[in-house]
Amino acid sequence: MLLLLGLCLGLLLCAGSLEEAKSWGDTSEQVGLRAPRQVRLLQRLKTKPLMTEFSVKSTIISRYAFTTVSCRMLNRASEDQEIEFLMQIPAAAFITNFTMLIGDKVYQGEITEREKKNGDKVKEKRNKTTEDNGEKGTETFRASVVIPSKDKAVFLLSYEELLQRRLGKYEHIISVRPQQLVGRLTVEVNILEKSGIESLEVLPLHNSRQKVSGRTEDGPGPPPSTVINQNETFAKVFFNPSVVQQAKIAQNGILGDFIIRYDVNREESIGDIQVLNGYFVHYFAPKDLPPLPKNVVFVLDSSASMVGTKLRQTKDALFTILHDLRPQDHFSIIGFSNRIKVWKDHLVSVTPNNIRDGKVYIHHMSPTGGTDINGALQRGIRLLNNYVAQHDIEERSVSLIIFLTDGKPTVGETHTLRILNNTKAAARGQVCIFTIGIGNDVDFTLLEKLSLENCGLTRRVHEEDDAGSQLIGFYDEIRTPLLSDIRIGYPPRLVEQATRTLFPNYFNGSEIVIAGKLVDRKVDRLHVEVTASNSKKFVVLKADVPVEPQKAGDGVTGSARSPGAGERDPNHLERLWSYLTVKELRSSWLQSDDEQEKQRLKQEAQALAVRSRFLTPFTALKLMESPQAKTLQGPYGTFAATGPETVTQSRQGPRLPPGPALRKPYNPRIKVSKTSADGDPHFVVDFPVSRLTACFNVDGQPGDILRLISDHADSGVTVNGALIGAPAPPNGHKKQRTYFRTITILLNKPERSYLEVTPHRVILDRGDRLVLPCNQSVVVGSRGLEVSVSANANVTVTVQGTIAFVILIHLYKKPAPYQRDHLGFYISSSEGLSGNCHGLLGQFLNQDARVTEEPARLSNSTPSPALPTAGEGPVTVLEVKGHQVPVVWKQRRIYNGEEQVDCWFARNAAQLLDGEYTDYLAAHPFDSETTFGPGRSRAL
């Protein structure tokens, strides 16, 4: 009887034949008393809407995927019936259109600006399963409509996404979950990659929300009925299972995810650059580089809510991860609940004994207490900062926190904004935070912002998922950093409105993508320069890349046009640029705390999303041409940011965050010397041989031009700084403040060049005058001189490869009366300067110093009241270049306050310097004369 019933159900779902069901019910005399139950079952099945077709078609052009889903349904009931269309889409995708055909009526979707309030009954419910930076998550689109009896409905859904490269593969996921067996079910994917397809595989259907760790074997091969046709640059994958094949996979029609993984050929180290109709995209994924050392702290939630499977799976995953650490890495472990429990109060090297001890510590972690997220993060960041500060690390390294929790902050600081501000202030852009949230009770918005503001990524793991495998998979993606502080530059005269070009880290198997517009569509070559740090080297890649314009649709099989796209073929590079720009604007909106700034970012993202037909948190999708038109919306908070954020270059120029001073989200880790002049101005001099640092102040007058470097006769380099005045802060001991308004550099070799830097522009004059704005990243140079501008951050000047200066740009959005936009001057390399170099900073280069203790009567001049007098103990004395000056121990912050320096402070700077104050005054910005007369020094 059961066999007969199963056969009946199969026939009914395939053909929808009511007559066969009646005939079967009338002739089944053997069922006896069970017949009424089966009749009720048949009645329910008869009235269920029948899906006659479910088809998905994707066209992927250079990693950018256009996908359209078509679903046909029939209302077989004798009364009107509500039908629900449901489709899981990638979390990183933007819906571009939704169209319904009900009988002979068409309801066309239109992307509009989101209104503040909307009470529509039919909504797009984007049930978030993970964040929007593509971490293998999905969101669910639902739309319901009432269909008249015996009538048909067609649903058409289109969405677009940029495929992310992880662990060396691009992954395109299509949800095949029609909720019932379908007479015609097809999935077609066309892939066109100009650079060539290196590898392609179709995985078995996967029926869970989260992909498992990349280490897990995925099965024997593609699903049954899958056909793959492929040549060098094009591939077509077609999946067309019969009803019988569908039933073998899943009787309920939930087949799972259809997954395609592939990678492309890479030949140029500078990356793959493609151009189409005035737009370009640059894919950068270097390989064959030695990995950077990692400094990593694992911060694990051990509160009471982690009891059971979650904590056990997390421990097992950490055992695996610890064994994967490399010998050059350093690590520590923190468990937190209402108490912060640190395994070691410092980072340790990767040795068998340390790995064993770490595993023992993890094994004995037990769940108890509340959740002190702020305290745990502060302790982890402090461990990393202390390690970097206390170790003279020659190799460049990457500092990471891997933070895992399943709850909200309940102990210590619980205010979300204060946690974010505390973390950002402590990390200072030097520590990247990668967060994992487990379960439904986690404050995922907090984790998302923590990662977004601190150059990391975030993941969400559901209760039913394997937290251990997710943690391992997440770690696999960041286990091998290859480059840090990546900056990609293009000629500003040729490129405009580029997406972000500064990236904190590049991990093996991933990819950096930049898109932009070409000012001149007829350009035949594009100069590209990539600078980055790798281990002990500073990597510089330069190339003039031939530009080969294409026409939209060249070589593409099948249409990539979204419904409602208009009459012209879509430019996939223009769509990609819009996609990235909207994502980055939304990321900046999430990070901003200034309401006016947030409103501007929202309006800019909203306008571009409407033009591009993207359904975003700022837009809505309205169904038109119906008296009962409904609005489909994606609620705020359903999208996350794309990857680690640094400096975002918007279509309307730079965005300055709030606060008294502009804090650059991108903090270049250039190995600069501590020798600098910054702030009021405060001077710092480093003596690397004796490992001493001295500091002093110069209280100049507004309008004074100070000689910083004077080496015109030998290396041909002169650096001067012009001062600007400002009132002193209230209750301060000074009457006024002074800052560097302009830094001028005169070069006499290899040819005469004049360089003038202000907080807003750089002027380079080598016979032809070139003006560079400071709010755009650019690199220019030739014949031994290179000038590199990092937007609103710094200007680096390199001479003959042996002399390098870094000029910091300090900007204030809402300056206090005593604040001015100003510059800081830092010496990155002084190798090419001569031993005769002079100036306020230059006189100390290539010199050495020592500190001694002598009686307080040492100084011939009147001692400072703050210093001990004779009989009160010895005085610390700094000896340099024959000068002896009393000093005290002091701490100073340099490089925009992001590095703390311990230095010996000379209160009377005149005793430390040669000559008089007037000897350091230049007559004009490019004055290269230098005369140091005899006589006693006087106070500066």
Side-chain angles (χ1 to χ4, degrees):
M1 195 277 299
L2 293 176
L3 179 61
L4 183 60
L5 178 59
L7 177 60
C8 170
L9 296 182
L11 292 173
L12 181 62
L13 290 172
C14 292
S17 174
L18 302 180
E19 291 300 320
E20 289 184 8
K22 290 180 180 179
S23 174
W24 176 83
D26 291 341
T27 57
S28 299
E29 299 178 357
Q30 301 177 9
V31 297
L33 295 177
R34 300 181 65 181
R37 179 182 175 187
Q38 293 167 356
V39 170
R40 290 195 301 270
L41 174 61
L42 288 175
Q43 288 174 346
R44 289 198 299 270
L45 290 173
K46 284 189 298 184
T47 57
K48 181 179 179 180
L50 177 68
M51 186 178 295
T52 59
E53 180 180 348
F54 180 87
S55 63
V56 183
K57 185 172 184 178
S58 285
T59 301
I60 303 171
I61 311 174
S62 298
R63 293 80 142 173
Y64 194 73
F66 301 83
T67 302
T68 298
V69 182
S70 175
C71 175
R72 299 177 182 270
M73 302 191 75
L74 170 65
N75 178 11
R76 301 173 294 170
S78 57
E79 67 276 350
D80 294 353
Q81 192 171 32
E82 184 178 17
I83 293 179
E84 183 180 60
F85 169 73
L86 182 148
M87 182 67 188
Q88 289 186 7
I89 66 171
F94 283 149
I95 290 173
T96 55
N97 193 40
F98 178 63
T99 301
M100 294 193 303
L101 291 80
I102 311 298
D104 58 354
K105 294 183 179 180
V106 178
Y107 301 88
Q108 179 70 49
E110 178 184 349
I111 301 292
T112 63
E113 293 184 357
R114 164 191 280 271
E115 298 176 358
K116 291 184 179 180
K117 294 182 179 180
N118 198 304
D120 301 305
K121 296 179 180 178
V122 179
K123 296 181 180 179
E124 175 218 0
K125 299 178 182 177
R126 297 186 137 230
N127 299 322
K128 188 166 183 178
T129 60
T130 191
E131 69 295 340
D132 187 25
N133 44 2
E135 268 79 8
K136 297 174 181 161
T138 61
E139 294 174 349
T140 301
F141 179 96
R142 285 187 178 94
S144 60
V145 66
V146 176
I147 301 180
S149 172
K150 310 299 182 183
D151 216 337
K152 299 178 181 178
V154 179
F155 301 95
L156 299 171
L157 176 69
S158 298
Y159 59 87
E160 300 175 12
E161 63 173 320
L162 175 65
L163 302 185
Q164 303 293 312
R165 186 171 185 259
R166 292 186 176 85
L167 302 176
K169 301 286 184 181
Y170 303 100
E171 192 169 80
H172 185 48
I173 303 177
I174 296 173
S175 176
V176 186
R177 293 175 173 85
Q179 307 296 316
Q180 58 179 277
L181 304 181
V182 184
R184 174 174 171 77
L185 189 153
T186 61
V187 176
E188 179 183 336
V189 180
N190 298 292
I191 303 172
L192 177 67
E193 292 289 351
K194 178 184 174 184
S195 55
I197 300 174
E198 181 187 61
S199 62
L200 184 145
E201 62 176 332
V202 180
L203 276 59
L205 289 168
H206 197 278
N207 202 10
S208 71
R209 290 186 208 174
Q210 295 276 357
K211 288 297 295 170
V212 295
S213 163
R215 308 177 187 204
T216 303
E217 295 297 330
D218 286 296
S225 79
T226 302
V227 178
I228 304 173
N229 293 312
Q230 179 182 352
N231 59 28
E232 184 178 348
T233 60
F234 178 77
K236 180 176 181 178
V237 179
F238 192 71
F239 175 55
N240 182 23
S242 66
V243 173
V244 174
Q245 290 172 320
Q246 295 174 48
K248 289 182 178 179
I249 299 171
Q251 289 283 347
N252 60 3
I254 303 178
L255 276 64
D257 291 325
F258 186 81
I259 304 172
I260 297 175
R261 286 180 182 164
Y262 75 96
D263 200 16
V264 300
N265 296 318
R266 288 177 175 79
E267 297 180 359
E268 298 292 335
S269 59
I270 201 74
D272 177 21
I273 297 180
Q274 301 180 19
V275 176
L276 177 61
N277 293 345
Y279 289 84
F280 79 93
V281 62
H282 182 187
Y283 299 101
F284 181 64
K287 55 184 180 179
D288 300 328
L289 294 172
L292 284 166
K294 295 191 301 293
N295 312 314
V296 57
V297 176
F298 300 97
V299 183
L300 310 176
D301 188 345
S302 60
S303 61
S305 58
M306 285 287 289
V307 67
T309 303
K310 287 186 287 188
L311 187 57
R312 177 180 53 79
Q313 291 178 346
T314 299
K315 290 180 178 182
D316 292 342
L318 260 294
F319 294 159
T320 302
I321 290 173
L322 290 180
H323 282 292
D324 266 357
L325 293 173
R326 294 184 172 85
Q328 65 265 38
D329 296 338
H330 293 80
F331 75 102
S332 189
I333 304 164
I334 294 176
F336 73 96
S337 53
N338 56 323
R339 294 174 53 233
I340 311 301
K341 293 158 281 189
V342 182
W343 170 51
K344 301 280 188 181
D345 60 359
H346 59 280
L347 269 64
V348 300
S349 58
V350 177
T351 64
N353 288 340
N354 286 337
I355 296 296
R356 180 199 61 207
D357 294 345
K359 291 174 66 175
V360 170
Y361 175 79
I362 293 170
H363 175 74
H364 286 99
M365 288 175 62
S366 58
T368 181
T371 309
D372 186 359
I373 290 179
N374 182 74
L377 286 170
Q378 292 296 310
R379 193 63 180 272
I381 294 170
R382 196 179 311 129
L383 281 179
L384 290 166
N385 286 340
N386 289 344
Y387 174 78
V388 173
Q390 294 173 7
H391 292 76
D392 186 14
I393 304 174
E394 295 183 1
E395 289 189 330
R396 300 174 188 270
S397 60
V398 174
S399 295
L400 312 174
I401 283 180
I402 297 180
F403 181 85
L404 183 146
T405 184
D406 73 333
K408 301 178 177 65
T410 61
V411 177
E413 180 59 72
T414 59
H415 191 272
T416 296
L417 184 58
R418 285 195 286 268
I419 293 174
L420 291 170
N421 291 338
N422 292 344
T423 304
K424 190 173 181 180
R428 306 194 309 272
Q430 306 298 318
V431 177
C432 294
I433 301 176
F434 297 83
T435 61
I436 300 174
I438 302 178
N440 300 323
D441 296 329
V442 69
D443 187 348
F444 191 74
T445 301
L446 171 61
L447 298 187
E448 179 184 74
K449 287 191 174 184
L450 281 171
S451 293
L452 185 63
E453 294 180 356
N454 297 281
C455 62
L457 301 172
T458 186
R459 284 288 176 81
R460 190 171 200 164
V461 180
H462 285 260
E463 296 282 0
E464 64 270 25
D465 294 324
D466 184 348
S469 64
Q470 293 301 312
L471 179 56
I472 292 173
F474 193 25
Y475 175 77
D476 281 345
E477 295 180 21
I478 60 175
R479 68 191 293 263
T480 311
L482 298 183
L483 295 173
S484 64
D485 306 323
I486 306 105
R487 181 177 62 205
I488 302 178
Y490 313 93
R493 294 178 178 178
L494 300 180
V495 171
E496 62 181 2
Q497 298 181 28
T499 56
R500 64 188 180 106
T501 57
L502 304 172
F503 302 87
N505 297 302
Y506 168 75
F507 296 97
N508 188 39
S510 64
E511 184 174 59
I512 290 173
V513 183
I514 304 101
K517 295 182 180 181
L518 294 177
V519 177
D520 182 5
R521 294 193 178 192
K522 298 180 181 179
V523 64
D524 58 352
R525 302 186 76 83
L526 179 63
H527 180 76
V528 181
E529 180 167 333
V530 179
T531 60
S533 300
N534 168 252
S535 191
K536 297 183 179 181
K537 298 185 299 182
F538 193 72
V539 179
V540 179
L541 303 174
K542 300 180 182 180
D544 290 317
V545 180
V547 173
E548 300 177 5
Q550 311 166 25
K551 293 183 179 179
D554 282 358
V556 180
T557 300
S559 173
R561 184 188 287 112
S562 302
E567 68 282 355
R568 67 183 181 91
D569 286 335
N571 178 347
H572 67 281
L573 298 190
E574 179 182 358
R575 305 291 296 171
L576 191 157
W577 171 82
S578 300
Y579 175 95
L580 289 177
T581 302
V582 170
K583 293 274 187 180
E584 292 179 5
L585 287 170
R586 203 261 172 174
S587 297
S588 299
W589 177 83
L590 275 176
Q591 295 181 73
S592 176
D593 295 323
D594 183 89
E595 287 304 320
Q596 291 184 348
E597 181 74 3
K598 288 178 75 75
Q599 184 63 23
R600 185 186 70 79
L601 292 169
K602 176 184 175 181
Q603 291 175 353
E604 189 175 351
Q606 193 174 61
L608 180 56
V610 170
R611 287 201 309 272
S612 305
R613 304 181 310 280
F614 289 151
L615 181 59
T616 72
F618 306 126
T619 54
L621 176 59
K622 293 184 178 180
L623 297 179
M624 309 302 292
E625 299 182 7
S626 170
Q628 298 176 347
K630 306 296 184 180
T631 300
L632 291 84
Q633 293 186 338
Y636 282 95
T638 59
F639 297 98
T642 53
E645 283 298 321
T646 53
V647 170
T648 302
Q649 295 165 269
S650 73
R651 300 180 300 111
Q652 296 182 355
R655 295 186 286 280
L656 308 183
L662 174 64
R663 300 299 301 267
K664 290 77 175 178
Y666 172 73
N667 302 302
R669 302 170 192 167
I670 305 171
K671 284 288 185 180
V672 297
S673 166
K674 299 173 186 176
T675 302
S676 59
D678 203 348
D680 193 8
H682 303 306
F683 287 74
V684 177
V685 180
D686 189 36
F687 300 100
V689 175
S690 54
R691 296 189 176 182
L692 294 177
T693 303
C695 50
F696 58 94
N697 295 341
V698 172
D699 296 329
Q701 297 297 316
D704 285 353
I705 302 174
L706 304 183
R707 304 182 192 273
L708 302 178
I709 302 290
S710 299
D711 199 27
H712 186 74
D714 293 292
S715 66
V717 176
T718 300
V719 181
N720 298 326
L723 297 177
I724 186 174
N731 303 320
H733 65 282
K734 290 187 176 182
K735 294 183 179 181
Q736 67 175 0
R737 282 187 167 188
T738 52
Y739 304 92
F740 284 117
R741 175 191 60 192
T742 307
I743 300 291
T744 52
I745 302 176
L746 172 64
L747 304 176
N748 203 35
K749 299 174 183 179
E751 61 181 25
R752 197 166 184 84
S753 303
Y754 300 86
L755 188 68
E756 178 180 328
V757 182
T758 73
H760 304 287
R761 67 177 185 177
V762 178
I763 301 175
L764 175 61
D765 192 345
R766 310 182 73 178
D768 52 343
R769 183 181 173 91
L770 179 64
V771 180
L772 307 173
C774 288
N775 62 4
Q776 298 179 15
S777 296
V778 61
V779 179
V780 297
S782 62
R783 300 186 295 277
L785 172 64
E786 179 181 282
V787 179
S788 173
V789 181
S790 179
N792 288 325
N794 59 65
V795 178
T796 303
V797 181
T798 306
V799 183
Q800 299 287 358
T802 59
I803 303 171
F805 307 126
V806 177
I807 302 170
L808 282 196
I809 301 172
H810 299 277
L811 299 177
Y812 296 84
K813 185 174 182 180
K814 296 178 181 179
Y818 53 88
Q819 294 173 326
R820 298 288 186 270
D821 291 349
H822 64 281
L823 303 172
F825 178 75
Y826 291 73
I827 297 178
S828 178
S829 173
S830 59
E831 181 183 348
L833 296 174
S834 73
N836 298 320
C837 181
H838 217 281
L840 285 171
L841 290 175
Q843 63 186 296
F844 300 107
L845 300 177
N846 304 313
Q847 302 293 330
D848 199 5
R850 71 189 186 101
V851 172
T852 60
E853 288 187 349
E854 295 193 11
R857 54 183 172 78
L858 158 101
S859 176
N860 294 326
S861 61
T862 303
S864 168
L867 294 178
T869 57
E872 292 185 346
V875 174
T876 302
V877 175
L878 176 71
E879 296 183 8
V880 56
K881 294 180 61 182
H883 299 284
Q884 293 183 332
V885 55
V887 291
V888 294
W889 186 253
K890 192 169 184 176
Q891 289 185 328
R892 270 200 171 152
R893 290 191 174 274
I894 63 173
Y895 215 80
N896 206 28
E898 295 175 4
E899 183 175 341
Q900 183 170 287
V901 175
D902 296 325
C903 62
W904 292 105
F905 177 63
R907 294 177 182 242
N908 189 349
Q911 292 180 312
L912 190 64
L913 302 171
D914 294 336
E916 304 271 345
Y917 173 76
T918 53
D919 295 329
Y920 295 94
L921 296 180
H924 57 83
F926 294 101
D927 183 9
S928 60
E929 298 296 326
T930 174
T931 303
F932 292 91
R936 288 175 55 87
S937 301
R938 61 180 177 83
L940 297 183

